[in-house]
Amino acid sequence: GEGMSRPPNREETERRLSFRPTDRNEAQCIIMEKPLAGRRYLLAVDPMTGASQTSGEDPDYHGAFVLRAGYWDEGGKWVRPCTAARIVPCRWDIDVLERAVWQLARYYGPASGCMIAIEMNMDRGLTELLKQRSANLYQRQIFNQREMKFSDALGYQTNERTREALIETLAKAIREWDKPGEGIEILDEHALEQCENFVKNEKGFSRAAEGFHDDDVLAIALGLHLIQNGTTYWPERLIQHLPPDLQQLQAQQPQGIGGPCS
């Protein structure tokens, strides 16, 4: 995997991020596919409660994946959607998770980051922290019965019905893996293990088998379900600022051929 270099502070959020290779024990994230120009990306997050709020012997982890949308290449070949990156399985407090989410969003998107879709049942302040950075957050529509109109609300809200819809989206992609226009490449061993141990219980609801977790499954399912909302990635054009003395020298040169650009 590749671990993150020193995280930027809030004054540095306009700068491009870089990564350095690390041992997996040190890594904060795993990059499976670097961002590709012209492709859509979405970062899906299924938060747990946070390390300082957890209880129980084996609580869930945070699930956070960047998904790249599928596309047809120049030769007409279908390139499946894939898990492009993930935050390592963790139980970090929300402020630590938020910083890592923001870093990955910036790596796969513009200054405001790629689209971030957060499962809101266990948000615990993640959305509010990202709002302070003017992050590109997914919004759902809800119907206000009193005012008889739709309004926007941040994040994705799950219940038994919507949860099953997410799972079915992922199940269909796995089932139709080799069908053009469908499929998904899950490039992470931890997530694959969860998929292999995800079952329907006696009531017909999709759940992790006993002794396993489902955080990766739900995050990938959420990302795939909303992938059409992904943000198109274009490499940023780096503007190199000249030192003041060179700026003054250029200003004194005549305009035209060989002069400074307007």
Side-chain angles (χ1 to χ4, degrees):
E2 294 186 6
M4 283 205 171
S5 61
R6 181 184 63 82
N9 58 37
R10 292 181 185 270
E11 288 72 30
E12 296 174 319
T13 54
E14 296 301 319
R15 304 179 188 176
R16 288 298 299 159
L17 296 175
S18 61
F19 291 79
R20 60 180 175 85
T22 71
D23 182 87
R24 275 185 176 253
N25 293 329
E26 183 187 350
Q28 292 184 9
C29 68
I30 300 171
I31 304 296
M32 308 161 209
E33 179 184 281
K34 293 183 178 181
L36 304 173
R39 307 306 170 199
R40 291 197 308 276
Y41 294 91
L42 183 142
L43 201 168
V45 187
D46 180 34
M48 61 171 288
T49 57
S52 62
Q53 293 89 25
T54 56
S55 60
E57 294 181 359
D58 191 21
D60 273 340
Y61 296 87
H62 297 301
F65 282 82
V66 175
L67 270 71
R68 189 255 302 138
Y71 62 94
W72 300 92
D73 67 13
E74 295 179 355
K77 180 181 177 182
W78 173 246
V79 181
R80 302 177 189 89
C82 79
T83 55
R86 70 162 301 161
I87 292 173
V88 296
C90 63
R91 294 171 175 143
W92 299 333
D93 283 329
I94 288 298
D95 61 322
V96 181
L97 174 67
E98 184 269 342
R99 184 170 58 182
V101 166
W102 173 245
Q103 290 168 339
L104 265 188
R106 284 282 291 114
Y107 187 63
Y108 285 90
S112 59
C114 70
M115 177 69 73
I116 303 171
I118 302 171
E119 199 286 315
M120 296 299 291
N121 288 8
M122 287 293 181
D123 175 68
R124 299 291 185 181
L126 177 61
T127 297
E128 288 302 316
L129 289 173
L130 287 166
K131 280 174 62 178
Q132 295 177 26
R133 299 188 191 264
S134 299
N136 189 3
L137 297 170
Y138 170 79
Q139 297 185 66
R140 69 188 187 279
Q141 280 201 326
I142 57 176
F143 185 69
N144 187 320
Q145 292 186 343
R146 186 176 66 179
E147 299 181 4
M148 297 299 291
K149 66 178 183 179
F150 285 95
S151 59
D152 293 330
L154 291 172
Y156 189 92
Q157 194 80 46
T158 57
N159 51 40
E160 288 293 351
R161 179 181 59 81
T162 58
R163 188 179 188 277
E164 289 299 314
L166 297 182
I167 298 303
E168 284 303 316
T169 299
L170 179 56
K172 180 177 183 290
I174 294 173
R175 186 174 65 249
E176 300 182 355
W177 183 84
D178 58 348
K179 182 179 178 180
E182 303 291 345
I184 185 172
E185 297 274 5
I186 299 177
L187 306 175
D188 180 75
E189 294 179 359
H190 190 270
L192 286 172
E193 182 183 40
Q194 286 195 7
C195 289
E196 292 171 352
N197 293 280
F198 197 79
V199 300
K200 285 188 179 294
N201 63 16
E202 63 278 1
K203 295 182 179 180
F205 294 121
S206 303
R207 294 287 185 271
E210 186 175 355
F212 292 90
H213 295 280
D214 61 6
D215 38 89
D216 286 358
V217 173
L218 294 177
I220 295 172
L222 175 61
L224 189 61
H225 188 72
L226 300 177
I227 194 63
Q228 296 306 316
N229 297 280
T231 308
T232 303
Y233 172 81
W234 294 109
E236 292 183 0
R237 180 183 177 184
L238 298 179
I239 302 175
Q240 295 185 356
H241 297 283
L242 294 176
D245 55 340
L246 291 182
Q247 292 182 25
Q248 184 178 6
L249 179 62
Q250 280 202 351
Q252 295 172 354
Q253 293 179 353
Q255 299 295 314
I257 297 176
C261 297
S262 59

